[in-house]
Coordinates of all heavy atoms in Angstrom, one line a residue:
A889 N -27.4 -13.3 -4.9 CA -26.3 -13.4 -3.9 C -25.6 -12.1 -3.8 O -25.2 -11.7 -2.7 CB -25.3 -14.5 -4.4
A890 N -25.3 -11.4 -5.0 CA -24.6 -10.1 -4.9 C -25.4 -9.1 -4.2 O -24.9 -8.2 -3.4 CB -24.2 -9.7 -6.3
Y891 N -26.7 -9.1 -4.5 CA -27.6 -8.1 -3.9 C -27.7 -8.3 -2.4 O -27.7 -7.3 -1.6 CB -29.0 -8.2 -4.4 CG -29.2 -7.8 -5.9 CD1 -30.3 -8.0 -6.5 CD2 -28.1 -7.3 -6.6 CE1 -30.5 -7.6 -7.9 CE2 -28.3 -6.9 -8.0 CZ -29.5 -7.2 -8.6 OH -29.6 -6.8 -9.8
L892 N -27.8 -9.5 -1.9 CA -27.8 -9.8 -0.5 C -26.5 -9.4 0.2 O -26.6 -8.8 1.3 CB -28.1 -11.3 -0.2 CG -29.5 -11.7 -0.5 CD1 -29.7 -13.2 -0.4 CD2 -30.6 -11.0 0.3
K893 N -25.4 -9.7 -0.4 CA -24.1 -9.3 0.2 C -24.1 -7.7 0.3 O -23.7 -7.2 1.4 CB -23.0 -9.8 -0.7 CG -21.6 -9.5 -0.2 CD -20.5 -10.2 -1.1 CE -19.2 -9.9 -0.5 NZ -18.2 -10.6 -1.3
F894 N -24.5 -7.1 -0.7 CA -24.6 -5.6 -0.6 C -25.4 -5.1 0.4 O -25.1 -4.2 1.2 CB -25.0 -5.0 -2.0 CG -25.3 -3.6 -1.9 CD1 -24.2 -2.6 -2.0 CD2 -26.5 -3.1 -1.7 CE1 -24.5 -1.3 -1.9 CE2 -26.8 -1.8 -1.6 CZ -25.7 -0.8 -1.7
L895 N -26.7 -5.7 0.5 CA -27.6 -5.2 1.5 C -27.2 -5.4 2.9 O -27.4 -4.6 3.8 CB -29.0 -5.9 1.3 CG -29.7 -5.4 0.0 CD1 -31.0 -6.3 -0.2 CD2 -30.1 -4.0 0.1
F896 N -26.5 -6.6 3.2 CA -26.0 -6.8 4.5 C -24.9 -5.7 4.9 O -24.9 -5.2 6.0 CB -25.3 -8.2 4.7 CG -26.5 -9.2 4.8 CD1 -26.3 -10.4 4.0 CD2 -27.5 -9.2 5.7 CE1 -27.3 -11.4 4.1 CE2 -28.5 -10.1 5.7 CZ -28.4 -11.3 4.9
T897 N -24.0 -5.5 3.9 CA -23.0 -4.5 4.2 C -23.6 -3.1 4.3 O -23.1 -2.3 5.2 CB -21.9 -4.5 3.0 OG1 -21.4 -5.8 3.0 CG2 -20.8 -3.5 3.3
A898 N -24.6 -2.7 3.5 CA -25.2 -1.4 3.6 C -25.9 -1.3 4.9 O -25.9 -0.2 5.5 CB -26.2 -1.3 2.4
N899 N -26.5 -2.3 5.4 CA -27.2 -2.3 6.7 C -26.2 -2.0 7.8 O -26.4 -1.2 8.7 CB -27.9 -3.6 7.0 CG -28.8 -3.5 8.2 OD1 -29.6 -2.5 8.3 ND2 -28.7 -4.4 9.1
D900 N -25.0 -2.6 7.7 CA -23.9 -2.3 8.7 C -23.5 -0.9 8.6 O -23.3 -0.2 9.7 CB -22.7 -3.2 8.4 CG -22.8 -4.7 8.9 OD1 -23.8 -4.9 9.6 OD2 -22.0 -5.5 8.4
M901 N -23.4 -0.4 7.4 CA -23.1 1.1 7.2 C -24.1 2.0 7.8 O -23.8 2.9 8.5 CB -22.9 1.3 5.7 CG -22.4 2.8 5.4 SD -22.3 3.1 3.7 CE -24.0 3.5 3.2
W902 N -25.4 1.6 7.6 CA -26.5 2.4 8.2 C -26.4 2.4 9.7 O -26.6 3.4 10.3 CB -27.8 1.9 7.6 CG -29.0 2.7 8.0 CD1 -29.4 3.9 7.5 CD2 -29.9 2.4 9.1 NE1 -30.5 4.3 8.1 CE2 -30.9 3.5 9.1 CE3 -30.0 1.4 10.0 CZ2 -31.9 3.5 10.0 CZ3 -31.1 1.5 10.9 CH2 -32.0 2.5 11.0
D903 N -26.2 1.3 10.3 CA -26.0 1.2 11.7 C -24.9 2.0 12.2 O -25.0 2.7 13.3 CB -25.8 -0.3 12.2 CG -27.0 -1.1 12.1 OD1 -28.1 -0.6 12.0 OD2 -26.9 -2.4 12.1
L904 N -23.8 2.0 11.5 CA -22.6 2.8 11.9 C -22.9 4.3 11.8 O -22.5 5.0 12.8 CB -21.4 2.4 11.0 CG -20.1 3.0 11.3 CD1 -19.6 2.5 12.7 CD2 -19.1 2.6 10.2
V905 N -23.6 4.7 10.8 CA -23.9 6.2 10.7 C -24.9 6.5 11.9 O -24.8 7.6 12.5 CB -24.6 6.5 9.4 CG1 -25.1 7.9 9.3 CG2 -23.5 6.3 8.3
N906 N -25.9 5.7 12.2 CA -26.8 5.9 13.3 C -26.0 6.0 14.6 O -26.2 7.0 15.4 CB -27.8 4.8 13.5 CG -29.1 5.1 12.8 OD1 -29.4 6.2 12.7 ND2 -29.8 4.0 12.5
E907 N -25.1 5.1 14.9 CA -24.2 5.2 16.0 C -23.3 6.5 16.1 O -23.2 7.1 17.1 CB -23.3 4.0 16.1 CG -23.9 2.7 16.4 CD -23.0 1.5 16.4 OE1 -21.8 1.7 16.5 OE2 -23.5 0.3 16.2
R908 N -22.9 6.9 14.9 CA -22.1 8.1 14.8 C -22.8 9.3 15.3 O -22.4 10.1 16.0 CB -21.5 8.3 13.4 CG -20.7 9.5 13.2 CD -20.3 9.8 11.8 NE -21.4 10.2 11.1 CZ -21.5 10.1 9.7 NH1 -20.5 9.7 9.0 NH2 -22.6 10.5 9.1
E909 N -24.1 9.4 14.8 CA -25.0 10.4 15.1 C -25.2 10.5 16.6 O -25.2 11.6 17.2 CB -26.4 10.4 14.3 CG -26.3 10.5 12.9 CD -25.9 11.9 12.5 OE1 -26.5 12.9 13.0 OE2 -25.0 12.1 11.6
K910 N -25.5 9.4 17.2 CA -25.8 9.3 18.7 C -24.5 9.7 19.4 O -24.5 10.3 20.4 CB -26.3 8.0 19.1 CG -27.7 7.7 18.6 CD -28.1 6.2 18.9 CE -29.5 5.9 18.3 NZ -29.7 4.5 18.4
G911 N -23.4 9.1 18.9 CA -22.1 9.3 19.6 C -21.7 10.8 19.6 O -21.0 11.2 20.5
S912 N -22.0 11.5 18.5 CA -21.6 12.9 18.4 C -22.3 13.7 19.5 O -21.6 14.5 20.1 CB -22.0 13.4 17.0 OG -21.3 12.8 16.0
A913 N -23.6 13.4 19.7 CA -24.3 14.1 20.7 C -23.7 13.9 22.1 O -23.6 14.7 22.9 CB -25.8 13.8 20.7
E914 N -23.4 12.5 22.3 CA -22.8 12.1 23.6 C -21.5 12.8 23.9 O -21.1 13.3 24.9 CB -22.7 10.6 23.6 CG -22.2 10.1 24.9 CD -23.0 10.2 26.1 OE1 -24.2 10.7 26.0 OE2 -22.6 9.9 27.3
T915 N -20.6 12.9 22.8 CA -19.3 13.4 22.9 C -19.4 14.9 23.2 O -18.7 15.4 24.1 CB -18.6 13.2 21.6 OG1 -18.5 11.8 21.3 CG2 -17.1 13.9 21.6
K916 N -20.3 15.6 22.6 CA -20.5 17.1 22.8 C -20.9 17.2 24.3 O -20.4 18.2 25.0 CB -21.6 17.7 21.9 CG -21.1 17.8 20.5 CD -22.2 18.3 19.6 CE -21.7 18.4 18.1 NZ -22.7 18.7 17.2
R917 N -21.8 16.4 24.8 CA -22.2 16.5 26.2 C -21.1 16.3 27.1 O -20.9 17.0 28.1 CB -23.4 15.5 26.4 CG -23.9 15.6 27.9 CD -24.9 14.5 28.2 NE -24.2 13.2 28.3 CZ -23.6 12.7 29.4 NH1 -23.3 13.5 30.4 NH2 -23.0 11.5 29.4
L918 N -20.3 15.2 26.8 CA -19.2 14.8 27.7 C -18.0 15.9 27.7 O -17.3 15.9 28.6 CB -18.7 13.4 27.4 CG -19.6 12.3 27.7 CD1 -19.1 11.0 27.1 CD2 -19.8 12.1 29.2
Q919 N -18.0 16.6 26.6 CA -17.0 17.6 26.5 C -17.5 18.9 27.2 O -16.7 19.6 27.8 CB -16.6 18.0 25.1 CG -15.9 16.9 24.4 CD -15.7 17.1 22.9 OE1 -16.5 17.8 22.3 NE2 -14.7 16.5 22.3
A920 N -18.8 19.2 27.2 CA -19.3 20.4 27.8 C -19.4 20.3 29.4 O -19.0 21.3 30.1 CB -20.6 20.8 27.3
E921 N -19.8 19.2 29.9 CA -20.0 19.1 31.3 C -18.8 19.3 32.2 O -18.9 19.9 33.2 CB -20.7 17.7 31.6 CG -22.2 17.7 31.2 CD -22.9 16.5 31.7 OE1 -22.5 15.9 32.8 OE2 -23.9 16.1 31.0
P922 N -17.6 18.6 31.8 CA -16.5 18.9 32.6 C -16.1 20.4 32.6 O -15.6 20.9 33.7 CB -15.4 18.1 32.0 CG -16.1 17.0 31.2 CD -17.4 17.7 30.8
I923 N -16.3 21.1 31.6 CA -16.0 22.6 31.5 C -16.8 23.3 32.5 O -16.4 24.2 33.3 CB -16.1 23.1 30.1 CG1 -15.0 22.5 29.2 CG2 -16.1 24.6 30.1 CD1 -15.2 22.8 27.7
E924 N -18.1 22.9 32.5 CA -19.0 23.6 33.5 C -18.7 23.3 34.9 O -18.7 24.1 35.8 CB -20.5 23.1 33.2 CG -21.0 23.6 31.9 CD -22.3 22.9 31.6 OE1 -22.9 22.2 32.4 OE2 -22.8 23.2 30.4
A925 N -18.3 22.0 35.2 CA -17.9 21.6 36.5 C -16.6 22.3 36.9 O -16.4 22.7 38.1 CB -17.7 20.1 36.6
R926 N -15.6 22.4 36.0 CA -14.4 23.1 36.4 C -14.6 24.6 36.6 O -14.0 25.1 37.6 CB -13.4 22.9 35.2 CG -12.8 21.6 35.2 CD -11.6 21.4 34.2 NE -11.1 20.1 34.2 CZ -11.3 19.2 33.3 NH1 -12.0 19.5 32.2 NH2 -10.8 18.0 33.4
N927 N -15.5 25.2 35.9 CA -15.9 26.6 36.2 C -16.5 26.7 37.6 O -16.2 27.7 38.3 CB -16.8 27.2 35.1 CG -16.1 27.3 33.8 OD1 -14.9 27.4 33.8 ND2 -16.9 27.4 32.7
A928 N -17.3 25.7 37.9 CA -18.0 25.8 39.3 C -17.0 25.5 40.3 O -17.1 26.2 41.4 CB -19.1 24.7 39.3
I929 N -16.0 24.7 40.1 CA -14.9 24.5 41.1 C -14.2 25.8 41.4 O -13.8 26.1 42.5 CB -13.9 23.4 40.6 CG1 -14.5 22.0 40.8 CG2 -12.6 23.4 41.4 CD1 -13.7 20.9 40.2
A930 N -13.9 26.5 40.3 CA -13.1 27.8 40.5 C -13.8 28.8 41.5 O -13.1 29.5 42.1 CB -13.0 28.5 39.1
T931 N -15.1 28.7 41.5 CA -15.8 29.7 42.4 C -16.3 28.9 43.8 O -16.8 29.6 44.6 CB -17.1 30.2 41.7 OG1 -17.9 29.2 41.3 CG2 -16.6 31.1 40.5
A932 N -16.2 27.6 43.8 CA -16.7 26.9 45.0 C -15.7 27.0 46.1 O -14.5 26.8 45.9 CB -16.9 25.4 44.6
P933 N -16.2 27.2 47.3 CA -15.2 27.2 48.5 C -14.8 25.7 48.8 O -15.5 24.8 48.4 CB -16.1 27.7 49.6 CG -17.5 27.4 49.2 CD -17.5 27.4 47.7
P934 N -13.7 25.6 49.4 CA -13.2 24.3 49.8 C -14.3 23.6 50.6 O -15.0 24.2 51.4 CB -11.9 24.5 50.6 CG -11.5 25.9 50.3 CD -12.8 26.6 49.8
G935 N -14.4 22.3 50.5 CA -15.4 21.5 51.3 C -16.1 20.4 50.4 O -15.6 20.0 49.4
E936 N -17.3 20.1 50.9 CA -18.0 19.0 50.2 C -18.4 19.3 48.8 O -18.4 18.4 48.0 CB -19.3 18.7 51.1 CG -19.0 18.0 52.4 CD -20.3 17.6 53.1 OE1 -21.3 17.3 52.5 OE2 -20.2 17.6 54.3
E937 N -18.9 20.5 48.6 CA -19.4 20.9 47.2 C -18.2 20.7 46.2 O -18.3 20.2 45.2 CB -19.9 22.3 47.2 CG -20.3 22.8 45.8 CD -21.5 22.0 45.3 OE1 -22.2 21.4 46.1 OE2 -21.7 22.0 44.1
R938 N -17.0 21.2 46.6 CA -15.8 21.2 45.8 C -15.4 19.7 45.6 O -15.1 19.3 44.5 CB -14.7 21.9 46.4 CG -13.5 22.1 45.5 CD -12.4 22.9 46.3 NE -11.2 22.9 45.5 CZ -11.0 24.0 44.7 NH1 -11.7 25.0 44.5 NH2 -9.8 23.9 44.0
D939 N -15.5 18.9 46.6 CA -15.1 17.4 46.5 C -16.1 16.7 45.6 O -15.8 15.9 44.8 CB -15.1 16.7 47.9 CG -14.0 17.3 48.8 OD1 -13.0 17.9 48.2 OD2 -14.1 17.0 50.0
R940 N -17.4 17.1 45.7 CA -18.5 16.5 44.8 C -18.2 16.8 43.4 O -18.3 16.0 42.5 CB -19.8 17.0 45.2 CG -21.0 16.2 44.6 CD -22.3 16.8 44.9 NE -22.5 18.2 44.5 CZ -22.7 18.6 43.2 NH1 -22.8 17.8 42.2 NH2 -22.8 19.9 42.9
L941 N -17.8 18.1 43.1 CA -17.5 18.5 41.7 C -16.3 17.8 41.2 O -16.2 17.4 40.0 CB -17.3 20.0 41.7 CG -18.6 20.8 41.8 CD1 -18.3 22.3 42.0 CD2 -19.5 20.7 40.6
L942 N -15.2 17.6 42.0 CA -14.0 16.9 41.6 C -14.4 15.4 41.2 O -13.9 14.8 40.3 CB -12.9 17.0 42.6 CG -12.3 18.3 42.8 CD1 -11.4 18.3 44.0 CD2 -11.5 18.6 41.5
E943 N -15.2 14.8 42.0 CA -15.7 13.4 41.8 C -16.5 13.3 40.5 O -16.3 12.4 39.7 CB -16.5 13.0 43.0 CG -16.9 11.5 42.9 CD -17.6 11.0 44.2 OE1 -17.2 11.4 45.3 OE2 -18.6 10.3 44.0
R944 N -17.3 14.4 40.3 CA -18.1 14.4 39.1 C -17.3 14.5 37.8 O -17.5 13.9 36.8 CB -19.1 15.6 39.2 CG -19.9 15.8 37.9 CD -21.0 14.8 37.8 NE -21.7 15.0 36.5 CZ -22.1 14.0 35.7 NH1 -21.8 12.8 36.1 NH2 -22.7 14.3 34.7
I945 N -16.2 15.3 37.9 CA -15.3 15.5 36.8 C -14.6 14.1 36.5 O -14.4 13.7 35.4 CB -14.2 16.6 37.1 CG1 -14.9 18.0 37.0 CG2 -13.1 16.5 36.2 CD1 -14.0 19.1 37.5
A946 N -14.2 13.4 37.6 CA -13.5 12.1 37.4 C -14.5 11.1 36.7 O -14.0 10.4 35.8 CB -13.1 11.5 38.8
H947 N -15.7 11.1 37.1 CA -16.7 10.3 36.5 C -16.9 10.7 35.0 O -17.0 9.8 34.1 CB -18.1 10.3 37.2 CG -18.1 9.5 38.4 ND1 -18.0 8.2 38.5 CD2 -18.2 10.1 39.7 CE1 -18.0 7.8 39.8 NE2 -18.2 8.9 40.6
L948 N -17.0 12.0 34.7 CA -17.2 12.5 33.3 C -15.9 12.1 32.5 O -16.1 11.7 31.3 CB -17.4 14.0 33.3 CG -18.7 14.4 33.8 CD1 -18.7 15.9 34.0 CD2 -19.9 14.0 32.9
Q949 N -14.8 12.1 33.1 CA -13.5 11.8 32.3 C -13.6 10.3 32.0 O -13.2 9.9 30.9 CB -12.3 12.1 33.1 CG -11.0 11.8 32.4 CD -10.9 12.6 31.2 OE1 -11.1 13.8 31.2 NE2 -10.5 12.0 30.1
A950 N -14.0 9.5 33.0 CA -14.2 8.0 32.7 C -15.2 7.8 31.5 O -15.0 7.0 30.7 CB -14.6 7.3 33.9
D951 N -16.4 8.5 31.6 CA -17.3 8.3 30.6 C -16.8 8.8 29.2 O -17.0 8.2 28.2 CB -18.6 9.3 30.8 CG -19.4 8.7 32.0 OD1 -19.2 7.5 32.4 OD2 -20.3 9.4 32.5
L952 N -16.0 9.9 29.2 CA -15.3 10.3 27.9 C -14.4 9.3 27.4 O -14.3 9.1 26.2 CB -14.7 11.7 28.2 CG -14.2 12.4 27.0 CD1 -15.2 12.7 26.0 CD2 -13.6 13.8 27.4
D953 N -13.6 8.7 28.3 CA -12.7 7.6 27.9 C -13.4 6.5 27.3 O -13.0 6.0 26.2 CB -11.8 7.2 29.1 CG -10.9 8.2 29.5 OD1 -10.6 9.2 28.8 OD2 -10.3 8.1 30.7
R954 N -14.5 6.1 27.8 CA -15.3 5.0 27.2 C -15.9 5.4 25.9 O -15.9 4.6 24.9 CB -16.5 4.6 28.2 CG -16.0 3.7 29.3 CD -17.3 3.1 30.1 NE -17.9 4.1 30.9 CZ -17.6 4.5 32.0 NH1 -16.6 4.1 32.7 NH2 -18.3 5.5 32.7

Side-chain angles (χ1 to χ4, degrees):
Y891 293 174
L892 289 174
K893 186 176 180 179
F894 170 82
L895 290 173
F896 286 131
T897 303
N899 190 50
D900 286 346
M901 184 178 84
W902 185 78
D903 287 344
L904 187 61
V905 171
N906 262 336
E907 287 176 26
R908 181 187 68 199
E909 293 292 313
K910 291 176 189 171
S912 293
E914 180 69 4
T915 299
K916 286 176 186 173
R917 182 189 69 79
L918 289 172
Q919 289 171 337
E921 284 188 32
I923 293 170
E924 293 170 9
R926 283 189 181 104
N927 289 340
I929 286 175
T931 59
E936 287 183 30
E937 179 65 19
R938 186 178 178 95
D939 292 343
R940 190 185 62 74
L941 288 169
L942 287 170
E943 189 176 314
R944 178 73 183 136
I945 289 173
H947 285 292
L948 289 169
Q949 184 61 49
D951 289 347
L952 189 56
D953 291 344
R954 280 191 291 278

